Amino acid sequence: MKPLTPEQGRSALSDDAERNRLLAEMAEQSTDMISRHTPGDWRFIYASPAVTHLLGFTVEEIVGMSAYDLYHPDDVKDFQDRAPSVTYDRGLYTHTYRFRCKDGHYTWLESTSRTLRDPETHEIKEILVVSRDASHRIKADKANRRLARVLESTQDLVIFSDLDLQITHLNEAARRCLALEHTDYTRLSLQELMAQKGFQTLLADGLPTAKEQGSWRSELNLQSREGNPIPVMLELLVHRSLHGDIEYLSLVARDLSEKKAAEAQMKHYQAEIDHASRLITMGELASSLAHELNQPLLAMVSFLRGIERRFASAESLRWQDIETPITRSISTALRAGEIVHRMMDFTRKQEPQVTELDIARLVNGICEFCESTAERHNVRILCQLDDNLPAVRGDQIQLEQVLLNLLVNALEASDTEAEHELKTVSVGVRPEGDQLLITVDDEGPGIPEQDLPQIFERFYSTKRTGLGMGLAISRSLVENLGGELWAENLPQSGSRFSFTVNTVN
């Protein structure tokens, strides 16, 4: 190698001096603390002015102090034993630890250190360290770990996906519920975890709404790996960067399987109770039904015996002679059959069938059905129906059950033993906006004021032998059809039960 000329040597020394000056200036201005330490006891030989900002010590105060005296006691051994918090890469050690400040509190630092060795003996001369404040990062890491623990322990299903709807993470509840515990779910797309209808809803409504408003919520079905539907309440969230760009999506789903099963079971129980209520109501009307069936049966017997008496000895018959009694017998038999058919329909156990109903025909039919009961209680039934009433939507059996229950209650409340005193139960139907209002008025003693607030509660009855189910079931049936049922006392005497039912738009 060709030796340097004196002029080249002076230029090189000048360049080194300038470089050292710039490095010193950078060290003095840096917000990171640059320090030099003795090997072994790690005493400060030098510290840049940033030490005051990071630790509160002046440069003069910290020079000569040992770093071991400032380490948090729990972190000294980690550093000495090169614990996982200490990493090594190409001659540089990086260590995250707690360091005591001048005021006594500990702060988190992240330091990168390098040993400087004698070129001839290779002995460590000193250690050069660059340290920066890691408090915010450590706090953020701790917060993230806490959130991760919450994420894994929650019973809600949590799904993360990228903007291409590829799955990036599932929490434990999602992996278990979707039967993906032993599957590489990162190869799956969101579409594979959802029922087709639910996925289309997500694409058409969920994503546009979430991108505009930040979140979207709906009830739909996920799908397990085996293809089993899982009803969930799903919330879709979009997560944006500091610049406002969407970075990823998250879906939080609450499994509704147990809730849906409970609702189905409750619906089954309700149907059983409704059926039992109809049987009870029919039992209360048994004597009236027997009377109502007895009349047409006696009439048929009378017609046929008349034919027997008149034509028993006749050698021949003409149709004109027997046409009238035979026709009347057939008509009377059909009437008895209608009574039996109505009773069977009312007591039959079946699923509700919501259809368009002629309310006038339904009300008149129930009023006729209860005529014999009204006679037994010395009460008359008065139907007051507006003309041209619109059709309503409802289940015929359920509406008949409600009206029959209210009408029987009104007849019993208006019962009188005085033969000369004939009381009236009035049934009225009139339009109220998009609904029909149906009222049943009686002339009984009214409802005690203390009973009004709880008269619709289950097992609460004002009758001595009542079960307390009729009014509770009636209100439930009316509300299931979108209406309301309530009770009030009339100013003069008696009480009024009113309920609404939706008309056909």
Side-chain angles (χ1 to χ4, degrees):
M1 182 176 179
K2 186 177 180 180
L4 297 176
T5 65
E7 184 176 344
Q8 289 174 326
R10 288 193 296 271
S11 177
L13 290 174
S14 175
D15 290 343
D16 288 342
E18 180 63 17
R19 187 181 300 109
N20 291 335
R21 185 188 68 79
L22 291 174
L23 290 174
E25 185 174 335
M26 289 175 60
E28 295 294 311
Q29 299 297 325
S30 175
T31 55
D32 291 344
M33 181 179 70
I34 300 173
S35 56
R36 294 159 47 207
H37 300 262
T38 61
D41 57 4
W42 277 73
R43 295 193 178 274
F44 280 86
I45 302 171
Y46 163 81
S48 65
V51 68
T52 304
H53 170 70
L54 288 180
L55 304 176
F57 294 101
T58 64
V59 173
E60 293 76 14
E61 288 173 330
I62 204 166
V63 169
M65 296 179 67
S66 171
Y68 287 120
D69 294 335
L70 300 177
Y71 269 116
H72 189 283
D74 295 341
D75 296 337
V76 174
K77 186 170 180 56
D78 286 347
F79 178 66
Q80 291 174 334
D81 296 344
R82 299 296 188 263
S85 60
V86 183
T87 60
Y88 176 79
D89 181 34
R90 291 180 294 182
L92 299 176
Y93 286 96
T94 301
H95 181 207
T96 303
Y97 56 94
R98 286 163 290 182
F99 219 53
R100 180 166 54 83
C101 299
K102 184 177 180 179
D103 62 7
H105 85 278
Y106 285 91
T107 188
W108 284 96
L109 296 180
E110 182 182 77
S111 296
T112 301
S113 60
R114 179 174 184 173
T115 56
L116 301 179
R117 298 178 179 272
D118 186 289
E120 296 180 359
T121 64
H122 299 291
E123 292 182 359
I124 299 176
K125 296 171 56 180
E126 59 183 58
I127 302 162
L128 181 64
V129 181
V130 178
S131 305
R132 61 187 59 87
D133 187 354
S135 300
H136 294 297
R137 180 175 64 79
I138 295 298
K139 289 178 181 178
D141 289 345
K142 286 185 175 181
N144 288 336
R145 286 195 294 272
R146 285 195 295 268
L147 289 174
R149 286 195 294 270
V150 171
L151 186 70
E152 291 303 315
S153 62
T154 181
Q155 295 305 303
D156 290 342
L157 285 62
V158 182
I159 304 168
F160 289 93
S161 84
D162 60 23
L163 300 186
D164 294 326
L165 303 185
Q166 287 294 123
I167 304 300
T168 57
H169 182 73
L170 299 174
N171 74 337
E172 183 180 348
R175 295 193 297 272
R176 183 175 62 250
C177 188
L178 298 170
L180 296 172
E181 294 171 294
H182 306 293
T183 303
D184 182 7
Y185 56 78
T186 59
R187 297 176 178 269
L188 301 176
S189 70
L190 196 56
Q191 183 175 6
E192 296 174 83
L193 303 185
M194 301 185 72
Q196 184 62 30
K197 183 178 179 181
F199 184 69
Q200 293 301 325
T201 301
L202 184 77
L203 291 180
D205 185 30
L207 283 172
T209 301
K211 288 177 180 179
E212 180 181 347
Q213 301 178 8
S215 65
W216 172 79
R217 186 180 178 88
S218 180
E219 191 172 313
L220 46 77
N221 282 351
L222 294 179
Q223 185 171 274
S224 72
R225 195 62 173 159
E226 290 85 1
N228 300 319
I230 305 166
V232 297
M233 175 57 72
L234 181 75
E235 184 166 11
L236 171 65
L237 303 169
V238 297
H239 302 270
R240 298 181 182 273
S241 67
L242 294 176
H243 303 292
D245 300 324
I246 298 176
E247 292 186 317
Y248 61 95
L249 307 173
S250 68
L251 299 92
V252 181
R254 176 150 296 179
D255 189 349
L256 300 180
S257 300
E258 292 184 4
K259 179 175 179 288
K260 292 293 183 181
E263 288 175 353
Q265 190 69 37
M266 183 60 69
K267 184 178 179 181
H268 174 72
Y269 289 154
Q270 184 67 52
E272 294 287 344
I273 292 172
D274 294 347
H275 182 232
S277 175
R278 291 198 294 274
L279 292 177
I280 291 169
T281 303
M282 197 54 63
E284 293 173 351
L285 293 171
S287 60
S288 299
L289 287 170
H291 174 71
E292 195 153 337
L293 287 172
N294 191 49
Q295 287 179 331
L297 292 174
L298 287 175
M300 284 190 293
V301 170
S302 297
F303 292 144
L304 296 174
R305 281 181 176 174
I307 294 173
E308 181 184 29
R309 285 193 304 270
R310 184 175 177 183
F311 300 104
S313 59
E315 295 181 359
S316 62
L317 294 175
R318 294 184 309 162
W319 171 247
Q320 290 84 351
D321 295 333
I322 63 173
E323 179 181 5
T324 299
I326 290 294
T327 303
R328 288 180 178 176
S329 295
I330 292 172
S331 175
T332 306
L334 290 174
R335 178 170 168 247
E338 287 178 0
I339 294 171
V340 173
H341 183 70
R342 176 178 293 173
M343 180 177 66
M344 291 174 64
D345 277 348
F346 187 72
T347 56
R348 187 177 292 121
K349 183 177 179 181
Q350 61 185 24
E351 288 292 316
Q353 297 179 352
V354 178
T355 59
E356 293 186 14
L357 300 174
D358 183 343
I359 193 66
R361 182 177 178 183
L362 186 148
V363 171
N364 284 324
I366 292 297
C367 289
E368 291 175 8
F369 190 66
C370 292
E371 281 294 344
S372 57
T373 303
E375 290 177 9
R376 187 158 51 88
H377 288 288
N378 197 26
V379 179
R380 69 184 180 118
I381 300 175
L382 178 63
C383 275
Q384 298 173 313
L385 309 182
D386 285 2
D387 295 331
N388 302 318
L389 291 171
V392 300
R393 289 196 64 79
D395 176 80
Q396 179 173 340
I397 298 298
Q398 290 183 347
L399 284 177
E400 285 181 343
Q401 180 176 357
V402 173
L403 186 57
L404 181 62
N405 186 52
L406 298 181
L407 194 51
V408 169
N409 286 349
L411 294 174
E412 292 178 351
S414 303
D415 181 274
T416 176
E417 296 180 358
E419 295 183 2
H420 64 280
E421 186 181 357
L422 183 65
K423 291 190 176 182
T424 301
V425 167
S426 301
V427 180
V429 183
R430 67 174 186 272
E432 287 279 339
D434 294 333
Q435 296 181 314
L436 289 184
L437 176 66
I438 303 171
T439 58
V440 179
D441 296 358
D442 65 59
E443 293 184 354
I447 305 169
E449 291 297 326
Q450 67 271 18
D451 292 329
L452 270 174
Q454 47 197 342
I455 197 169
F456 292 103
E457 293 181 5
R458 293 186 184 275
F459 309 112
Y460 186 87
S461 177
T462 57
K463 300 178 186 178
R464 182 178 302 175
T465 58
L467 297 177
M469 294 297 293
L471 289 177
I473 291 173
S474 295
R475 171 174 273 187
S476 175
L477 294 176
V478 170
E479 290 178 348
N480 286 341
L481 293 172
E484 294 181 78
L485 170 61
W486 66 94
E488 57 191 317
N489 284 317
L490 297 172
Q492 60 277 22
S493 66
S495 59
R496 168 178 292 170
F497 284 80
S498 308
F499 69 94
T500 56
V501 60
N502 294 326
T503 58
V504 177
N505 295 327

